[in-house]
């Protein structure tokens, strides 16, 4: 998992800022890259003005003090904005642009179409109360050290002024909301209000802002916290006789998949492919378990049922794990080993000048993932990249044991590959070398997650873990998780899979613990499509690598593929593919 606080506030619009690019003497008619770059600059500033919360979290801080009221009028303006941008784009000849600019063009176009579709078709602003949570950005302003504290607190204060009107408007917009999303919104608002109520006050004490000003700031925080709690109370009391189902349905699901994943295949095709992959993994896992059985269960009869056989092998191997207090240091020790392995096998060039900092997960992001990478935003290339590791301090022994069995000695190594080297962290270092704000801001999640999963397999294929069957079996289990995420997400949202069927799939066929399966059910009932990004990206990158290998034949080098692939930034795999296979233009007019 990669933690980038992407607040895609799709329905918001700020102060009617749609400039017509054709006005004011800046006629963009040229088909060249210089004109396109100029357009991009315009586009970005307009985009951030329209979406100040999103801007804050990518490191663009000009609009930190703003919060856009989710009114009909502002939504109309946002739709108008997307139409204006599509109109501007249509004046460029795509074939006249460089490969990197072509990708940017596609990304902007997709983003505009996606925003329009969200506002006009999906209409989550009506049925998803959790889409109104403003607290994340306030927490970001408070906790990220991009500017002096005093300045951040003053922006925080100004931004708070919009909170009461914001929630008043939110109440007007909500109609027959999804029950699961309503209770999620209640939890998030009541759980997060401490950012406004106490964390802000605590931070104020650390500054020398004059007492009189501080008093005003605290008063406004009080009013804001009350508005947030009132919204939660409103949701609790809401009479909702005909709640909308949390299931998206086939039509909306396909469309959302198209905009978010930007894959070559449809959601349905992707689901079919995941079902095949699951069968393949089960076959391979059965073979490996049979092979390993005598080593761990000498003399004992082997279970006839292959799922039982695999489950017993995995259970036994999971007992190899670190002690609770050694989790972070085990990760720290792992990283130089990964670097050394990659260098010795010549898999790709690593840049030692951008260090990865392993740290205890900061309190304000604690919760879901045991480990994650947080990267600097596109406007903050000098910022650190962190490997956030959740601490097990204070956990009940039983809970810690279950967690450590999950992240056992094998999976812990795979986790480090995925999150760090050559997974997310390495990919980010490469992405930051391709100087495109568009590609960072509109980063494709399927490419990012797909690369991390692809990297796991690439390392194992190169012999990482001494080709031990134990390591391969455990990776298959881990890979099965991505595959089943895809199957689950599509089945639940497009095919009406029940909770009982879902739990059975995850526990019996993906060998997950009951608690993990229950957590996944909760996630799939409050989100859609994102869970498919891991497998979809992995599948597309692997297919692209195979195609590249075929084309290059004897001249094929894995290192060359890896570096070339990463050089285009966090773009959808299908566009990277287009760029990689481009035929050089021959000037037919000249000689
Ligand atoms: Zn990930
Ligand atoms: Zn144990």
């Amino acid at each position: 998992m990669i933690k980038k606080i992407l607040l895609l506030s799709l329905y918001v619009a700020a102060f009617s800022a749609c400039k017509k690019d054709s006005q004011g003497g800046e006629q963009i008619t040229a088909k060249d890259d210089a004109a396109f770059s100029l357009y991009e600059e315009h586009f970005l500033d307009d985009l951030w003005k329209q979406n100040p919360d999103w801007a804050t979290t990518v490191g663009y801080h000009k609009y930190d003090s703003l919060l856009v009221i989710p009114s009909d009028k502002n939504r109309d303006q946002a739709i108008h904005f997307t139409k204006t941008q599509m109109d501007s784009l249509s004046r460029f000849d795509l074939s006249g642009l460089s490969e990197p600019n072509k990708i940017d063009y596609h990304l902007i176009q997709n983003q505009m179409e996606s925003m329009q579709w969200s506002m006009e078709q999906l209409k989550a602003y009506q049925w998803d109360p959790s889409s109104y949570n403003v607290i994340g950005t306030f927490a970001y302003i408070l906790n990220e050290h991009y500017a002096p504290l005093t300045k951040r607190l003053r922006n925080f204060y100004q931004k708070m002024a919009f909170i009461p009107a914001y929630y008043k408007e939110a109440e007007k917009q909500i109609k027959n909301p999804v029950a699961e999303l309503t209770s999620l919104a209640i939890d998030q608002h009541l759980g997060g209000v401490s950012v406004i109520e106490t964390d802000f006050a605590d931070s104020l004490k650390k500054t020398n802002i004059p007492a009189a000003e501080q008093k005003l700031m605290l008063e406004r925080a009080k009013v804001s916290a009350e508005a947030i709690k009132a919204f939660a109370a409103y949701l609790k009391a809401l009479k909702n006789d005909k709640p909308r189902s949390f299931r998206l349905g086939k039509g909306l699901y396909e469309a959302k998949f198209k905009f978010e994943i930007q894959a070559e295949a449809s959601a349905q095709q992707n689901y079919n492919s995941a079902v095949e992959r699951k069968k393949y993994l089960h076959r391979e896992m059965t073979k490996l378990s049979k092979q390993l059985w005598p080593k761990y269960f000498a003399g004992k009869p082997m279970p006839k049922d292959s799922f039982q056989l695999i489950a017993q092998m995995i259970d036994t191997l999971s007992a190899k794990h670190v002690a609770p207090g050694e989790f972070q240091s085990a990760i720290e020790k792992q990283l130089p080993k990964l670097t050394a392995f990659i260098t010795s096998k010549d898999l790709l060039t690593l840049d030692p000048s951008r260090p990865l900092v392993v740290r205890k997960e900061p309190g304000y992001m604690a919760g879901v993932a045991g480990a994650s990478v947080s990267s600097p935003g596109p406007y903050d290339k000098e910022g650190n990249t962190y490997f956030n590791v959740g601490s097990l301090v204070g956990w009940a022994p039983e809970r810690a044991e279950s967690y450590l069995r999950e992240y056992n000695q094998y999976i812990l190594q795979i986790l480090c590959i995925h999150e760090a080297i050559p997974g997310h962290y390495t990919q980010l270092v490469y992405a930051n070398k391709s100087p495109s704000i568009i590609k960072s801001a509109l980063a494709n999640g399927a490419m990012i997650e797909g690369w991390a999963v692809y990297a796991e397999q690439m390392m194992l294929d190169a012999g990482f873990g001494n080709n031990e069957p134990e390591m391969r079996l455990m990776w298959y289990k881990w890979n099965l998780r991505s595959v089943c995420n895809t199957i689950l997400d599509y089945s639940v949202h497009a095919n009406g899979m029940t909770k009982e069927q879902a739990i059975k799939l995850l526990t019996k066929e993906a060998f997950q613990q009951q608690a993990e399966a229950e957590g996944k059910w909760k996630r799939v009932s409050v989100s859609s499509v994102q869970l498919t990004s891991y497998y979809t990206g992995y599948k597309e990158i692997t297919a692209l690598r195979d195609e590249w290998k075929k084309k290059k034949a004897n001249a094929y080098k894995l290192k060359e593929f890896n570096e070339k692939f990463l050089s285009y930034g966090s773009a959808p795999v299908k566009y990277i593919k287009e760029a990689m296979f481009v035929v050089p233009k021959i000037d037919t007019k000249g000689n």
Side-chain angles (χ1 to χ4, degrees), residues 319 321 401 405:
H321 61 74
E401 171 67 13
R405 286 179 66 87

PDB file of all heavy atoms in Angstrom, residues 319 321 401 405, ligand 2:
ATOM      1  N   ALA A 319       5.197 -19.666  11.462  1.00  0.00           N
ATOM      2  CA  ALA A 319       5.731 -19.620  12.826  1.00  0.00           C
ATOM      3  C   ALA A 319       7.113 -18.971  12.867  1.00  0.00           C
ATOM      4  O   ALA A 319       7.575 -18.536  13.923  1.00  0.00           O
ATOM      5  CB  ALA A 319       5.801 -21.031  13.396  1.00  0.00           C
ATOM      6  N   HIS A 321       9.025 -16.029  12.661  1.00  0.00           N
ATOM      7  CA  HIS A 321       8.825 -14.580  12.599  1.00  0.00           C
ATOM      8  C   HIS A 321       9.646 -13.882  13.673  1.00  0.00           C
ATOM      9  O   HIS A 321      10.132 -14.520  14.607  1.00  0.00           O
ATOM     10  CB  HIS A 321       7.341 -14.230  12.744  1.00  0.00           C
ATOM     11  CG  HIS A 321       6.736 -14.659  14.046  1.00  0.00           C
ATOM     12  ND1 HIS A 321       6.987 -14.017  15.238  1.00  0.00           N
ATOM     13  CD2 HIS A 321       5.880 -15.666  14.338  1.00  0.00           C
ATOM     14  CE1 HIS A 321       6.309 -14.611  16.204  1.00  0.00           C
ATOM     15  NE2 HIS A 321       5.642 -15.618  15.695  1.00  0.00           N
ATOM     16  N   GLU A 401       0.961 -11.570  18.013  1.00  0.00           N
ATOM     17  CA  GLU A 401       1.371 -12.864  17.462  1.00  0.00           C
ATOM     18  C   GLU A 401       0.722 -13.097  16.094  1.00  0.00           C
ATOM     19  O   GLU A 401       1.391 -13.500  15.140  1.00  0.00           O
ATOM     20  CB  GLU A 401       0.997 -13.979  18.454  1.00  0.00           C
ATOM     21  CG  GLU A 401       1.176 -15.402  17.936  1.00  0.00           C
ATOM     22  CD  GLU A 401       2.633 -15.803  17.701  1.00  0.00           C
ATOM     23  OE1 GLU A 401       3.545 -15.077  18.156  1.00  0.00           O
ATOM     24  OE2 GLU A 401       2.864 -16.831  17.024  1.00  0.00           O
ATOM     25  N   ARG A 405       2.769 -13.410  12.641  1.00  0.00           N
ATOM     26  CA  ARG A 405       2.644 -14.608  11.801  1.00  0.00           C
ATOM     27  C   ARG A 405       2.297 -14.213  10.368  1.00  0.00           C
ATOM     28  O   ARG A 405       2.784 -14.802   9.421  1.00  0.00           O
ATOM     29  CB  ARG A 405       1.576 -15.547  12.362  1.00  0.00           C
ATOM     30  CG  ARG A 405       2.009 -16.300  13.612  1.00  0.00           C
ATOM     31  CD  ARG A 405       0.873 -17.189  14.113  1.00  0.00           C
ATOM     32  NE  ARG A 405       0.565 -18.252  13.164  1.00  0.00           N
ATOM     33  CZ  ARG A 405       1.176 -19.438  13.129  1.00  0.00           C
ATOM     34  NH1 ARG A 405       2.129 -19.704  13.997  1.00  0.00           N
ATOM     35  NH2 ARG A 405       0.849 -20.346  12.235  1.00  0.00           N
TER      36      ARG A 405
HETATM   37 ZN1  LIG B   2       4.874 -17.052  17.041  1.00  0.00          ZN
END
